[in-house]
Amino acid sequence: MSIIDLFLTLDRAGPGDAESLRWALDVAQTPDDARVLDAGCGTGADTGTLIHAVPRGRVVALDAAEAFIDVVAGKYTQAEAVAGDMLVPPPGPYDLIWSAGAVYNTGVAAALSAWRPHLAPRGRVAFSDLRWTGMERPQAVVDFFASEGVTLSDCDALEAEIAQAGWRVLGARWVGRAGWAAYYEPLEAQLANERDQALVEAFKSEINCWKLHGDSYDYRLVVVEPE
């Protein structure tokens, strides 16, 4: 079974929760008639919350995995579900572009540069990105993410990347442990039924790393607007 197959029956394909999304919507001052892009939507973990937040607006859910988009289209008929590159979204303009944990695929600067032309006047972007929370850098965490091809940096580096791209930060916070639990607890239960033992062991290693050292890293959630 592929990773995509594993997540098809799960609501969430990465850390996050409705509470942190609602915080971002509040900071972004997203109106209830907004046009919103859910970029890298996965199986629609946040799509329902976005739909509820903009009852007079429109949500476009975008993901590269067609199988995920099929799930979203079945769950949320109110949304426009589109398979494609999140850096080349369907025509907007958008009052909010939301992206939960997906900018690591492209890099912060590339994502912000690609999305800028698709924003409405006074449009905002909200996204989460994995970062160190402080000075503690456990070697086990460094080694684990290095094995995944990821080198973590801190919040100062994130804010520098945002500023260098020509954007300003309106608000920032951590997703927090509740957001990780919302992802890992259903995933851990699903692994009990998974036959691909290599996949099981890889995710168990990831989950165990978080259980032991999760206070040292988290997803930094930021709301930004163009300068």
Side-chain angles (χ1 to χ4, degrees), residues 161-193:
E161 291 171 52
I162 292 167
Q164 287 166 9
W167 295 65
R168 68 172 65 89
V169 176
L170 299 177
R173 57 164 281 183
W174 298 108
V175 166
R177 293 190 72 89
W180 288 79
Y183 168 50
Y184 278 148
E185 288 176 4
L187 174 59
E188 201 165 22
Q190 182 75 354
L191 291 175
N193 302 316

Side-chain angles (χ1 to χ4, degrees), residues 142-221:
V142 174
D143 293 344
F144 171 77
F145 284 109
S147 72
E148 299 292 314
V150 176
T151 301
L152 295 185
S153 59
D154 60 19
C155 294
D156 289 342
L158 174 60
E159 296 205 7
E161 291 171 52
I162 292 167
Q164 287 166 9
W167 295 65
R168 68 172 65 89
V169 176
L170 299 177
R173 57 164 281 183
W174 298 108
V175 166
R177 293 190 72 89
W180 288 79
Y183 168 50
Y184 278 148
E185 288 176 4
L187 174 59
E188 201 165 22
Q190 182 75 354
L191 291 175
N193 302 316
E194 174 58 49
R195 294 183 179 181
D196 184 336
Q197 286 305 303
L199 197 60
V200 170
E201 291 307 314
F203 275 112
K204 282 186 174 180
S205 178
E206 178 182 332
I207 294 168
N208 189 55
C209 183
W210 174 73
K211 287 179 176 178
L212 293 174
H213 306 292
D215 289 340
S216 67
Y217 59 97
D218 197 352
Y219 274 87
R220 188 68 169 172
L221 176 54

Side-chain angles (χ1 to χ4, degrees), residues 3-10 12-13 43 68 183 187 203:
I3 290 178
I4 287 178
D5 291 331
L6 174 65
F7 284 104
L8 282 177
T9 58
L10 295 172
R12 185 166 290 283
T43 55
F68 286 170
Y183 168 50
L187 174 59
F203 275 112

